[in-house]
Amino acid sequence: MSERGLAPFHLAFPVHELAAARQFYGGLFGCAEGRSSAEWVDFDFFGHQIVAHLDPTRREFTPPAHTNEVDGQDVPVPHFGVVLDWADWERLAGRLEAAGVRFVIAPGIRFRGQVGEQATFFLYDPSGNALEFKSFRDPSRLFAR
């Protein structure tokens, strides 16, 4: 952790097409584009740096082959995402629902009434990378046992 708070993470991941990644991350989520080349593009993903790397062996939508059961739902593995403030999560979920986004796991509350209670939803990007967006009413519960 830095003196300014949480340090931004960096994540590089494969995509089948940079134009589709730009539309999804830049267009749908409004992530500002940073540096890029003919092989990759980076985005400001809620203050974190994610980099979509062109993978010539990847063929369009390739979802994860594995899931784990979490609170009665099949969670795609691997996945990445971000923990948002509750109000920001609600706004994003509502905006995506209004846009007709197809969710892997629809927006809802997981672990209701338990220490780990959280709002969450999952979706795939155009290349099949799974993303989770979650929130805690009490952010101090992020790592609570």
Side-chain angles (χ1 to χ4, degrees):
M1 194 139 123
S2 75
E3 292 177 13
R4 297 173 295 156
L6 286 177
F9 69 78
H10 164 83
L11 176 72
F13 57 95
V15 298
H16 77 284
E17 180 182 84
L18 293 180
R22 281 184 164 107
Q23 177 58 37
F24 183 80
Y25 293 99
L28 182 63
F29 286 98
C31 298
E33 188 173 317
R35 295 177 303 280
S36 66
S37 78
E39 303 291 321
W40 55 268
V41 59
D42 69 355
F43 296 98
D44 178 344
F45 186 71
F46 302 90
H48 303 283
Q49 183 192 45
I50 61 171
V51 185
H53 282 268
L54 189 59
D55 178 352
T57 66
R58 196 171 189 106
R59 299 289 181 251
E60 295 188 19
F61 184 80
T62 309
H66 181 71
T67 62
N68 276 342
E69 189 275 325
V70 178
D71 199 31
Q73 297 178 310
D74 292 326
V75 170
V77 177
H79 65 265
F80 70 93
V82 66
V83 179
L84 300 170
D85 290 333
W86 194 269
D88 292 338
W89 182 91
E90 286 180 320
R91 277 191 295 276
L92 179 59
R95 188 168 60 79
L96 296 177
E97 286 175 319
V101 167
R102 186 170 171 229
F103 294 96
V104 176
I105 297 175
I109 305 299
R110 174 180 293 156
F111 305 123
R112 191 174 293 278
Q114 299 176 42
V115 171
E117 182 175 289
Q118 59 194 260
T120 186
F121 64 83
F122 285 79
L123 65 153
Y124 291 121
D125 77 4
S127 293
N129 296 297
L131 288 85
E132 178 183 18
F133 293 84
K134 65 169 61 179
S135 184
F136 294 80
R137 285 195 194 274
D138 178 355
S140 72
R141 298 286 185 146
L142 181 62
F143 299 107
R145 300 174 98 180

